[in-house]
Amino acid sequence: MSRKNRAFLKWAGGKFKLVDALNRHLPAGQRLVEPFVGAGSVFLNTEYDEYLLCDINQDLIDLYNIVKRQPETYIQAAKALFVDRMNNKEAYYDARKHFNSSCDPFLRAIYFLYLNRHGFNGLCRYNQKGEFNVPFGSYKKPYFPEKEIRIFAEKAQRAEFRCISYEQAFELVTDGDVIYCDPPYAPLSTTASFTTYVGAGFSLDDQALLARYSRHTALERGIPVLISNHDIPLTRELYHGARLESIQVQRNISQKGSARTKVDELMALYDDTYHEEQE
């Protein structure tokens, strides 16, 4: 693709900087299935006929379905929150309170974008009660991504959005599909930890189970699976039998630019043809 499209959400671990490398590794197919869609940068920068885009965050999936079905109504409603009087700590925490107390998907979708763009580092985090708890970000003038929402809405006509687990997403794949997995990344060290933005976290057991699902799907069903993760000894062991390639990518792990360093990222491709060549 000649021009890369940015997601309209800020997202920790977003794949915008990786899309060129991912396009080199993703096999051809009719439909791309993403069990961990996140902000959708891979969806926005690939060309498949169809997409099945999944995530366990109900707010995220509701937002995408609303943008898909009624983009103009959504844009006008969300844009009203991106004004100077809403860009302060008191207004932010009031909006966060309304978001957490509301059960209306459209209202939550409006607040979700506001919180995403005004909250600290674009984080998406909930407490054990399921309440969004990211603090105010203190940005001078948060950007309203109207152009990006329109681009997303147009391409979303080719996509189905489902709030399901990665295990359920794997059960829905069929011939002609290609799977791309962008799970919460394994910790870089034994002292590092990661709690996913929904639920109880993505454990090392989940990492191993995802690798097993991927191997079996490629070997037994002939459906290729590409996974990205940190390039560390643990992931190289987990993804044994896959075609492995390491690339460098800048990770935005701090607000300070000096702390945004490049780390090795692993691309693991499970492909039945590749496995047969090794046997």
Side-chain angles (χ1 to χ4, degrees), residues 235-251:
T235 53
R236 284 185 171 265
E237 175 61 28
L238 285 175
Y239 304 146
H240 65 272
R243 191 192 312 267
L244 302 177
E245 182 172 333
S246 184
I247 62 173
Q248 278 200 329
V249 63
Q250 182 173 302
R251 304 295 294 173

Side-chain angles (χ1 to χ4, degrees), residues 106-123:
F106 188 83
L107 187 60
R108 287 179 70 91
I110 295 167
Y111 279 127
F112 190 89
L113 179 59
Y114 167 84
L115 296 170
N116 174 263
R117 288 278 169 176
H118 291 75
F120 179 75
N121 258 13
L123 293 175

Side-chain angles (χ1 to χ4, degrees), residues 97-169:
K97 179 181 176 182
H98 280 89
F99 173 83
N100 285 326
S101 63
S102 175
C103 295
D104 178 68
F106 188 83
L107 187 60
R108 287 179 70 91
I110 295 167
Y111 279 127
F112 190 89
L113 179 59
Y114 167 84
L115 296 170
N116 174 263
R117 288 278 169 176
H118 291 75
F120 179 75
N121 258 13
L123 293 175
C124 183
R125 189 185 66 196
Y126 301 79
N127 63 23
Q128 291 184 337
K129 296 180 181 179
E131 297 170 333
F132 190 89
N133 66 352
V134 175
F136 183 57
S138 297
Y139 299 108
K140 186 175 181 180
K141 189 174 177 59
Y143 172 67
F144 181 66
E146 182 170 346
K147 179 183 73 173
E148 291 82 356
I149 294 172
R150 293 186 192 280
I151 291 171
F152 188 99
E154 182 179 355
K155 190 159 188 181
Q157 304 311 309
R158 285 193 262 164
E160 177 185 1
F161 299 97
R162 299 281 295 270
C163 182
I164 55 177
S165 67
Y166 71 90
E167 298 101 325
Q168 292 171 307

Side-chain angles (χ1 to χ4, degrees), residues 29-244:
Q30 180 177 348
R31 183 175 72 162
L32 180 66
V33 178
E34 292 193 60
F36 310 87
V37 65
S41 288
V42 177
F43 155 63
L44 288 166
N45 292 284
T46 50
E47 285 300 332
Y48 290 85
D49 293 337
E50 302 172 64
Y51 294 84
L52 173 60
L53 306 174
C54 311
D55 204 281
I56 58 169
N57 186 326
Q58 186 70 60
D59 288 318
L60 185 69
I61 297 302
D62 284 346
L63 167 61
Y64 289 163
N65 276 317
I66 286 168
V67 167
K68 174 183 177 179
R69 294 165 187 160
Q70 43 185 325
E72 295 305 321
T73 304
Y74 177 79
I75 285 171
Q76 294 310 311
K79 194 173 187 177
L81 296 179
F82 283 70
V83 292
D84 289 343
R85 65 179 178 82
M86 292 296 293
N87 189 25
N88 60 73
K89 188 177 292 187
E90 291 73 24
Y92 176 85
Y93 288 118
D94 187 57
R96 195 178 75 176
K97 179 181 176 182
H98 280 89
F99 173 83
N100 285 326
S101 63
S102 175
C103 295
D104 178 68
F106 188 83
L107 187 60
R108 287 179 70 91
I110 295 167
Y111 279 127
F112 190 89
L113 179 59
Y114 167 84
L115 296 170
N116 174 263
R117 288 278 169 176
H118 291 75
F120 179 75
N121 258 13
L123 293 175
C124 183
R125 189 185 66 196
Y126 301 79
N127 63 23
Q128 291 184 337
K129 296 180 181 179
E131 297 170 333
F132 190 89
N133 66 352
V134 175
F136 183 57
S138 297
Y139 299 108
K140 186 175 181 180
K141 189 174 177 59
Y143 172 67
F144 181 66
E146 182 170 346
K147 179 183 73 173
E148 291 82 356
I149 294 172
R150 293 186 192 280
I151 291 171
F152 188 99
E154 182 179 355
K155 190 159 188 181
Q157 304 311 309
R158 285 193 262 164
E160 177 185 1
F161 299 97
R162 299 281 295 270
C163 182
I164 55 177
S165 67
Y166 71 90
E167 298 101 325
Q168 292 171 307
F170 269 83
E171 292 173 4
L172 295 177
V173 299
T174 186
D175 291 345
D177 285 348
V178 174
I179 304 174
Y180 169 60
C181 292
D182 178 28
Y185 276 18
L188 283 170
S189 68
T190 54
T191 58
S193 63
F194 180 84
T195 301
T196 189
Y197 54 88
V198 173
F202 201 81
S203 67
L204 294 181
D205 285 342
D206 284 311
Q207 299 280 1
L209 187 59
L210 175 62
R212 194 169 104 186
Y213 269 98
S214 302
R215 271 197 307 277
H216 288 181
T217 300
L219 281 168
E220 298 172 9
R221 303 184 61 185
I223 297 171
V225 184
L226 179 67
I227 309 178
S228 57
N229 212 319
H230 284 140
D231 188 357
I232 54 177
L234 169 67
T235 53
R236 284 185 171 265
E237 175 61 28
L238 285 175
Y239 304 146
H240 65 272
R243 191 192 312 267
L244 302 177

